[in-house]
Amino acid sequence: MQSFDPSEGLAVIFKARPDLVVLDLIMPQFSGMEVLRKIGSDKSLKDVSVIILSNIKDEKIIREAKDLGAQGYIVKTSITPDQLGEEIK
């Protein structure tokens, strides 16, 4: 399994400015919350939607993610791949 550096992902987000980022919270080097903070703090990314997809099912963390600008929070164990596709649409 290949491991990706979150800073590489951030560079792609800053360059491509996608419509949607599906973001996990558990990543090497720094957390998805830190990525969410960086996206939220940059005015050029204000139109980028972020959905958290994580195994963490903690109300405090879910609230924090939404407070930081996540438009949605999906617990991986609660959704099938087809349902994820529908949620993204």
Side-chain angles (χ1 to χ4, degrees):
M1 178 180 224
Q2 186 174 5
S3 178
F4 294 96
D5 179 342
S7 60
E8 292 173 11
L10 268 174
V12 170
I13 292 167
F14 278 94
K15 183 177 180 183
R17 291 186 175 77
D19 293 327
L20 174 68
V21 173
V22 179
L23 181 64
D24 199 347
L25 296 181
I26 307 294
M27 297 188 298
Q29 298 169 355
F30 52 91
S31 76
M33 285 294 197
E34 186 60 31
V35 173
L36 186 57
R37 281 186 193 92
K38 289 177 188 264
I39 291 171
S41 68
D42 191 293
K43 292 186 191 317
S44 72
L45 300 177
K46 67 179 175 59
D47 294 328
V48 175
S49 296
V50 179
I51 295 175
I52 303 296
L53 180 63
S54 178
N55 276 327
I56 299 172
K57 190 175 182 179
D58 179 303
E59 289 301 320
K60 181 179 176 190
I61 291 175
I62 293 169
R63 192 173 347 139
E64 180 183 2
K66 289 184 176 181
D67 288 347
L68 289 171
Q71 281 73 32
Y73 192 106
I74 300 167
V75 178
K76 290 178 187 179
T77 57
S78 301
I79 195 164
T80 67
D82 288 339
Q83 290 170 325
L84 177 60
E86 288 301 312
E87 185 72 26
I88 288 171
K89 285 179 186 176

